[in-house]
Amino acid sequence: MQPNYPDEQLRFAARLYYIDGVSQTEVAKMVRVSQAKVSRLLAIARERGIVRITVEEYNPQNPGLEKDLRKKLGLKHATVVRTAANATGEVARQTVGHFGAPIIAGLIPTNGILAIAGGRTVREVVEHFPEGRSRGLTVVQAMGSIDSNISAADAIELGRHITQLWGGNFLTLTTPAFAPDRKTRDSFLAFEQIRHVWKQLGEAHAALVGVGTLENSAFVERGVLSTRDIELLREKGAVGEICGRFFDRNGRECDTPWRDRVISIGFDQLKTIPQSIAVFTGADRSTAVAAAIRGGLVKSLVTDEDGAEGLLDGGASRGKKSK
């Protein structure tokens, strides 16, 4: 039961704190309550309508950069989220996740199949998805597990979160991301359980993915790729990675040993998905993201201003696709 604080006492505390700028410590002394109780008084004042806070309209998006990205890259949809000055890393990801989540939720069909990949920025988006009416989605894990230490940013956890939030079904790809060799990979894919998931990936209506670089990806962070591995990938022309598949500047999958070992959504499958959405922050990924767009792997994106400017400044026009 809410304490019966008199309105006059609430007005007194609110006037001191919100109008006169008095600290909560001093408010407590003047109102004759404990300091711990001041925040409660202020909260009740808001609940009763004694305090009504208004904020001038704030547009969290940059329409000019969004228009430029759509025009120059031929994207179906582009959202550019404004962040605080010099915001990078976790702060930028949180901001993009907070403001980008409702937009991405609107791009995902209410019914159908969603392929989901892991990643720190993808995690921020998924964790900020708005609650709402149940959807008839089937969410499918787009890549096997990187290792046995499942993190909160892995697709298996993100897929579970989405179905807990929106209902529907979640299909897991119960394999490692990389098999030891092609023969073992093919053995996994021969299992009926895996074949069913694979079929669903091929019929997906939307995909939500992150885009990694050779220097900045979960495979590097978790020790799956060594320095020598990265050198070999670079020699093969790789500039980026989506779901453990490495691609060149034209968005074509590179011919590397990992190509025959990876268990994840194929690029041919990804290209046929009507709404493939990439979410990322920072200009360091611009070369990789531009290549993915050229190759038809990404059709829509959500990023911050640094990411958008990196794409535009890097001359990342769609250009002609290689045959």
Side-chain angles (χ1 to χ4, degrees):
M1 183 176 178
Q2 189 182 93
N4 188 27
Y5 296 112
D7 283 356
E8 195 66 17
Q9 185 183 32
L10 299 178
R11 292 190 189 98
F12 185 18
R15 163 61 192 259
L16 291 171
Y17 184 72
Y18 289 110
I19 304 299
D20 300 334
V22 177
S23 70
Q24 290 195 16
T25 301
E26 292 302 312
V27 171
K29 293 177 183 178
M30 297 171 72
V31 180
R32 305 301 295 166
V33 296
S34 67
Q35 185 175 344
K37 195 170 287 186
V38 172
S39 61
R40 181 61 180 150
L41 288 174
L42 297 173
I44 294 173
R46 291 195 296 273
E47 290 171 8
R48 293 188 188 175
I50 292 170
V51 173
R52 294 180 293 275
I53 299 174
T54 61
V55 179
E56 288 189 15
E57 185 62 32
Y58 171 75
N59 183 359
Q61 297 172 233
N62 187 317
L65 286 178
E66 292 173 349
K67 181 179 178 181
D68 289 344
L69 287 175
R70 288 193 300 269
K71 181 178 179 180
K72 294 187 178 182
L73 303 182
L75 293 163
K76 292 179 69 173
H77 179 92
T79 294
V80 179
V81 175
R82 297 162 60 192
T83 62
N86 302 317
T88 59
E90 183 179 359
V91 174
R93 290 193 293 270
Q94 288 175 340
T95 308
V96 168
H98 177 81
F99 290 112
I103 295 168
I104 291 176
L107 296 177
I108 296 171
T110 301
N111 300 292
I113 301 171
L114 170 66
I116 182 76
R120 292 171 298 181
T121 312
V122 176
R123 174 192 175 187
E124 290 292 342
V125 168
V126 170
E127 291 189 345
H128 284 91
F129 273 159
E131 294 186 28
R133 63 189 179 88
S134 297
R135 298 189 178 203
L137 274 178
T138 294
V139 183
V140 187
Q141 183 180 347
M143 182 184 75
S145 300
I146 295 175
D147 54 32
S148 58
N149 182 25
I150 304 300
S151 80
D154 285 345
I156 193 168
E157 293 298 321
L158 301 182
R160 287 172 179 161
H161 181 81
I162 293 173
T163 51
Q164 287 171 358
L165 187 68
W166 290 341
N169 303 309
F170 176 45
L171 302 180
T172 61
L173 195 57
T174 51
T175 70
F178 289 110
D181 50 52
R182 181 171 185 169
K183 183 178 180 180
T184 306
R185 191 274 309 271
D186 292 344
S187 296
F188 274 118
L189 296 179
F191 282 103
E192 179 60 32
Q193 177 182 343
I194 305 303
R195 287 169 59 191
H196 174 64
V197 177
W198 200 260
K199 182 175 184 294
Q200 296 294 300
L201 285 173
E203 298 174 356
H205 302 90
L208 179 58
V209 302
V211 180
T213 67
L214 298 188
E215 298 78 16
N216 188 358
S217 76
F219 298 102
V220 174
E221 293 172 5
R222 292 159 76 166
V224 176
L225 295 178
S226 67
T227 301
R228 176 57 190 145
D229 291 334
I230 295 171
E231 291 175 355
L232 176 59
L233 286 165
R234 189 172 286 112
E235 290 170 3
K236 293 290 187 177
V239 299
E241 165 267 321
I242 293 178
C243 291
R245 295 184 182 274
F246 300 92
F247 54 86
D248 63 18
R249 288 182 175 274
N250 291 309
R252 297 175 301 191
E253 189 167 6
C254 297
D255 185 11
T256 72
W258 290 273
R259 182 177 187 175
D260 295 330
R261 295 170 47 201
V262 68
I263 303 176
S264 73
I265 188 169
F267 282 174
D268 286 343
Q269 292 172 309
L270 194 57
K271 289 177 184 178
T272 64
I273 295 177
Q275 187 62 278
S276 54
I277 310 159
V279 55
F280 73 101
T281 61
D284 64 310
R285 298 177 189 261
S286 59
T287 298
V289 175
I293 295 169
R294 277 189 213 105
L297 307 175
V298 169
K299 300 178 179 71
S300 298
L301 62 81
V302 176
T303 186
D304 60 354
E305 289 174 310
D306 283 348
E309 289 169 355
L311 281 172
L312 296 170
D313 293 346
S317 58
R318 178 179 289 273
K320 294 182 179 179
K321 293 183 182 179
S322 300
K323 300 292 185 181

